[in-house]
Amino acid sequence: MQIMLACNNLAIAASSICFYLSLSEHFENGALNGLPRQQRLAAVHEGRVEEGRGEALFWAALLFNALSRVASEAQKAAFLKDWIIVIVDDSENGQLSTHNFVCATIDQVAAFFAPILCGIALDTLGKPYSALAFMAWNLCSWIVEALVINNLYQRTPSLHCRDSKSQTEPNYCSALFGDAFCMWRRQSCWRPMFALSLLFFTVLGFDNSINFRSPSRTAANRNCRRRCSEYFEVCTGAILGCVGVACYKFMGDRRYNIVLIGLIGLIFQNVFLNLTTVSIFLPGNQFDLQGYAKNVTFSSWFDTAYGSIFHVKNQTMARCNVPTIQESENGFSWMLHNSPSLLVFFVGLTLARFGLWMADPAIQQIMQETVLENERYRVNLAQNSMQEIFSFLKDLLVGVIAFPLVYTFGALIVTSVTFVFAGLVIYLSYFISCNL
């Protein structure tokens, strides 16, 4: 655990330093001083200014960030899928629902404050020095986390030893996919785990929805009211996430079937997410797949794909005669009077967080209670891989194939809702089998 914690924080520190050096060279280059940001970027991409080392540092920062993500997932899996079970078993009156509630609440509280604090840092310190501030914060939190983990380890003797690893007989499944995936498939709870994986194939998150809402994000980000409205949406989602986790804890304390709690959460998520589908047919909707198909060519599609990956402004796609969302000083006021479609979309997107964070800890508890100790790490390795595969396919669909454009986003909404509904159906089959 301490090794993963160290790898995570050291990778974040290295990434922050690379970002600082890259941003300092890019935005403080004497040849670019005094130019608006868009002109500075255009100068670099057109070759009028050599970016050189800054570009290499930028990619190095992304690499270290990816390594940090791997270490973070390993650390999360070790604590939430193994340590927490042992800690509960060693305590006299411990309950998994209580510990899962605490961990999920911390996660949502962090999601509430993170965008606010990051926005303040970016506005007051600027991008290069904000990277150093984030590095300092992670180094300080590393010390606190290391002390907490060491304290838990010393207070829980059962963490000092483990059962011997189970031996699996060689078979065709192991030869093709490896022991971890075969062991994952043999679990009695593989359907809830697979249902949870399907939830990762969705663009209905606040990161993608902000792209959908405002194609000209640079101008919008300079508007304080507009940024506050975006923060409000993210923070409201975090609050509803806390409410969902609290409902999970409330029902768990009253001995409700944990499988039933997960089913109720997925039903709520699907009901609210379907509001985003309804928004496609309301006034103010920008969805025009037919118009997009008439205007797009392979050349314009390729230019947009290249630009979405390397952040190059696309001139070809700009010639498509498709309307874009208007900029406004007050996003909520504009949505209420001019675009009921966007209002319904963000209401559904935000309310769905309640169901998601009611189902997520419930499915996690099902895994904690059913997976054997000597199989936890391999099963969770396979589970994390499944989740990342669906997340990668979603990113591929959005970033390369379809793009988060207002006139094609409706198709991505339908695709996302379909995958989430498929997760509900698979989970429902598990619920029925448990109650037969």
Side-chain angles (χ1 to χ4, degrees):
M1 177 72 80
Q2 294 283 15
I3 294 175
M4 290 298 100
L5 179 63
C7 292
N8 181 20
N9 285 277
L10 288 174
I12 291 177
S15 178
S16 299
I17 292 174
C18 290
F19 270 124
Y20 167 74
L21 296 175
S22 174
L23 292 168
S24 297
E25 179 171 318
H26 184 71
F27 289 100
E28 296 177 7
N29 191 309
L32 302 180
N33 284 342
L35 292 177
R37 178 178 180 274
Q38 201 63 35
Q39 293 183 26
R40 292 198 300 266
L41 291 175
V44 171
H45 289 298
E46 291 172 6
R48 290 185 280 116
V49 175
E50 290 291 336
E51 195 169 26
R53 187 183 60 171
E55 189 75 14
L57 288 169
F58 175 78
W59 289 106
L62 294 182
L63 175 61
F64 282 118
N65 185 64
L67 294 175
S68 168
R69 173 76 181 273
V70 173
S72 176
E73 289 297 325
Q75 179 188 346
K76 183 178 179 181
F79 186 80
L80 294 179
K81 307 295 173 60
D82 185 28
W83 276 39
I84 196 171
I85 305 171
V86 178
I87 292 171
V88 170
D89 290 341
D90 268 20
S91 60
E92 296 181 357
N93 299 315
Q95 290 185 344
L96 276 174
S97 60
T98 301
H99 288 72
N100 289 336
F101 165 75
V102 172
C103 293
T105 301
I106 293 173
D107 192 3
Q108 292 304 299
V109 170
F112 179 90
F113 287 106
I116 299 175
L117 297 178
C118 288
I120 294 174
L122 289 170
D123 286 340
T124 56
L125 301 177
K127 293 181 179 179
Y129 290 106
S130 293
L132 294 181
F134 298 152
M135 180 190 68
W137 165 258
N138 274 280
L139 292 178
C140 293
S141 65
W142 179 11
I143 299 174
V144 176
E145 289 179 85
L147 292 175
V148 171
I149 290 174
N150 183 67
N151 183 51
L152 285 173
Y153 185 80
Q154 297 300 329
R155 289 170 50 188
T156 312
S158 298
L159 290 173
H160 300 178
C161 60
R162 296 183 55 82
D163 289 344
S164 60
K165 293 184 178 180
S166 61
Q167 299 295 326
T168 58
E169 296 182 0
N171 51 46
Y172 289 110
C173 178
S174 299
L176 290 174
F177 303 104
D179 289 341
F181 280 98
C182 296
M183 190 175 290
W184 176 90
R185 177 60 182 84
R186 289 197 300 268
Q187 301 300 314
S188 61
C189 62
W190 75 268
R191 280 176 288 184
M193 293 191 292
F194 186 60
L196 182 63
S197 300
L198 290 176
L199 303 186
F200 283 75
F201 193 95
T202 175
V203 300
L204 299 177
F206 288 107
D207 50 351
N208 295 295
S209 66
I210 294 303
N211 291 344
F212 154 70
R213 173 178 174 176
S214 175
S216 54
R217 296 186 301 278
T218 304
N221 286 341
R222 287 196 296 263
N223 190 300
C224 181
R225 293 184 183 179
R226 183 62 173 271
R227 185 181 297 181
C228 289
S229 70
E230 293 172 356
Y231 286 162
F232 176 79
E233 292 154 8
V234 176
C235 294
T236 303
I239 292 173
L240 286 172
C242 288
V243 175
V245 174
C247 288
Y248 152 79
K249 171 69 165 55
F250 176 82
M251 298 180 71
D253 289 345
R254 280 149 185 79
R255 305 301 178 183
Y256 280 85
N257 188 328
I258 191 63
V259 181
L260 175 62
I261 298 174
L263 179 63
I264 294 174
L266 287 177
I267 290 174
F268 273 117
Q269 183 189 17
N270 275 266
V271 169
F272 292 133
L273 276 186
N274 272 284
L275 290 176
T276 62
T277 306
V278 173
S279 70
I280 298 175
F281 306 98
L282 295 179
N285 146 63
Q286 303 286 322
F287 180 48
D288 186 10
L289 190 60
Q290 185 177 4
Y292 171 77
K294 289 180 179 179
N295 287 280
V296 72
T297 63
F298 178 79
S299 176
S300 62
W301 173 86
F302 180 81
D303 289 345
T304 306
Y306 182 85
S308 67
I309 297 173
F310 297 102
H311 305 287
V312 179
K313 188 176 180 181
N314 178 17
Q315 301 295 338
T316 306
M317 189 60 67
R319 293 197 291 269
C320 293
N321 297 320
V322 184
T324 57
I325 299 175
Q326 302 176 21
E327 297 293 336
S328 64
E329 291 188 356
N330 192 323
F332 287 113
S333 176
W334 184 85
M335 282 193 291
L336 182 63
H337 294 93
N338 299 280
S339 184
S341 173
L342 276 179
L343 183 61
V344 172
F345 172 82
F346 279 106
V347 168
L349 181 66
T350 305
L351 292 177
R353 307 295 292 181
F354 167 76
L356 172 63
W357 282 98
M358 188 175 176
D360 183 272
I363 296 175
Q364 179 173 286
Q365 184 172 339
I366 293 173
M367 296 171 60
Q368 292 168 337
E369 293 177 348
T370 56
V371 179
L372 298 177
E373 179 181 358
N374 52 21
E375 297 179 349
R376 285 174 192 159
Y377 279 103
R378 279 180 285 179
V379 170
N380 287 300
L381 169 65
Q383 176 64 18
N384 287 342
S385 299
M386 290 288 292
Q387 293 172 180
E388 293 302 322
I389 287 172
F390 281 106
S391 180
F392 171 76
L393 292 175
K394 177 263 297 182
D395 292 336
L396 184 66
L397 176 66
V398 175
V400 178
I401 299 175
F403 325 116
L405 305 175
V406 291
Y407 32 90
T408 61
F409 202 79
L412 300 180
I413 290 175
V414 174
T415 303
S416 299
V417 171
T418 301
F419 271 83
V420 174
F421 179 72
L424 171 62
V425 173
I426 293 173
Y427 188 92
L428 180 61
S429 69
Y430 176 76
F431 174 79
I432 294 173
S433 66
C434 289
N435 289 274
L436 290 179

